[in-house]
Amino acid sequence: MKIGYPCVNETLDCSAATTFRLASYTDERVVTTVTNNLACLQRILEFNVQHGLLFFRIGSGIVPFGSHAVNTFPWQTEFAPQFRAIGDYIKAEQMRISFHPDQFVVLNSPDPGIVERSIAELVYQGSMLDLMGLDSTAKLQIHVGGLYGDRDVAIERFIATYRTLPEAVQVRLVIENDDRLFSLRDCLRVHEAVGIPILFDNFHHECLNHDEPMQEALRLAAGTWHPTHDGVLMMDYSSQQLGERKGKHTSSLVEERFREFVTHLNGLDVDMMLEIKDKEASALRAVAILRELGLAAPLPLSASV
DNA sequence: TCGAGTCAAGGCTAT
DNA sequence: ATAGCCTTGACTCGA
């Protein structure tokens, strides 16, 4: 089991998400920004290895305007060596990597322009995985999209669009059950049509479900991942912040809830992304708990905790 | 130097 | 019809 956290490291004094405004776009700023972001990404990955965190979600903004028409700079070739070096490090340390394109990526939109921009963003993020030399067990995770008043039509439109995607995107794309619109059961319908794996979010499942017990939901989601092509089930873990709106993530790991959740795994191997506000701090607590339970590998000898 | 407003992109829900 | 929310950091400008 690999444990991770998304995008941002709060311990280090660098950011892999520096950017700038569209209005101030220049090729030179792309160069300086990507250089800075990749250098910071490498530092974050090294921090993670030293602390036994072998799953990481890379932020969408490594290359500013990476899928926008304004950016015609050939960053794919100019930064090929840097991407390759990071990919080599990831493979050497056997880390798992994901991207989570944000809410603007909507493959089932009825607006062709939105679909076109969404595909461009997936191609951009997938091409970073290609440049790193990572295989199809590194994933791009998105939601099914909008309802537009008709669930069946919305799902059919997702399926139709999925079939038109470039293969490099198809082999890496996974869908995540969300907390308001498309449940695990809806995602399973999409999976049955096109074979896409389902990234399981335990908290979303608590918010929106059809009475599938957690252990059963995990089993269903895990069954959508091909062991060699896709790797073990990726999941997002979070829990409800008490006293807040339903769906609000906790600010830090609630240890008792986490221990309870782990019992539902019942031996299932997963790679777990902790979607918790305090990032690596909670991820480290999770690793400690799993280690105590014998479910996570001990720290490497080189680790400095 | 610091605080406030704003930033490429979407869609749902409450009012 | 329209504002607010999701979720979030970082840029940018003006004081």
Side-chain angles (χ1 to χ4, degrees), chain A residues 162-178:
Chain A
Y162 177 86
R163 291 188 166 130
T164 72
L165 294 173
E167 193 186 346
V169 171
Q170 269 188 2
V171 299
R172 293 198 170 106
L173 197 63
V174 300
I175 46 175
E176 173 189 351
N177 59 304
D178 70 71

Side-chain angles (χ1 to χ4, degrees), chain A residues 25-101:
Chain A
Y25 179 92
T26 63
D27 286 353
E28 289 71 26
R29 284 198 77 167
V30 173
V31 172
T32 56
T33 305
V34 173
T35 301
N36 174 72
N37 286 343
L38 290 178
C40 183
L41 175 58
Q42 176 67 32
R43 287 185 58 200
I44 293 174
L45 294 174
E46 289 170 4
F47 173 98
N48 292 350
V49 167
Q50 287 163 7
H51 292 81
L53 300 169
L54 296 181
F55 187 20
F56 190 65
R57 180 188 300 165
I58 301 176
S60 300
I62 294 287
V63 180
F65 309 102
S67 70
H68 192 286
V70 73
N71 187 346
T72 58
F73 182 78
W75 56 268
Q76 294 92 337
T77 50
E78 293 296 318
F79 287 97
Q82 289 89 333
F83 276 108
R84 171 51 62 103
I86 288 172
D88 287 347
Y89 182 73
I90 289 165
K91 285 183 282 188
E93 300 294 344
Q94 299 181 55
M95 306 182 81
R96 190 93 182 270
I97 295 296
S98 66
F99 281 90
H100 192 345

Side-chain angles (χ1 to χ4, degrees), chain A residues 176-280:
Chain A
E176 173 189 351
N177 59 304
D178 70 71
D179 59 349
R180 293 176 306 133
L181 307 178
F182 293 100
S183 65
L184 172 65
R185 190 172 77 184
D186 295 320
C187 291
L188 284 164
R189 284 179 56 190
V190 180
H191 165 77
E192 280 155 23
V194 295
I196 189 170
I198 300 169
L199 189 150
F200 183 68
D201 186 309
N202 77 300
F203 185 30
H204 291 168
H205 185 70
E206 287 171 14
C207 296
L208 178 68
N209 60 68
H210 306 280
D211 297 325
E212 307 94 336
M214 190 59 74
Q215 185 171 326
E216 171 70 359
L218 280 160
R219 190 188 65 78
L220 288 168
T224 66
W225 292 66
H226 187 286
T228 52
H229 298 159
D230 301 314
V232 303
L233 173 69
M234 280 184 182
M235 64 163 291
D236 286 347
Y237 176 85
S238 187
S239 64
Q240 175 69 42
Q241 176 77 56
L242 295 177
E244 290 279 352
R245 168 193 56 79
K246 181 184 173 189
K248 177 80 172 178
H249 292 188
T250 51
S251 51
S252 72
L253 186 74
V254 179
E255 188 168 325
E256 288 316 300
R257 297 296 312 277
F258 183 71
R259 286 180 183 275
E260 181 200 355
F261 174 77
V262 168
T263 66
H264 297 304
L265 289 173
N266 202 28
L268 183 72
D269 190 18
V270 302
D271 288 340
M272 194 184 301
M273 181 69 60
L274 296 189
E275 289 199 316
I276 295 179
K277 194 165 175 55
D278 66 359
K279 305 290 179 182
E280 73 273 17

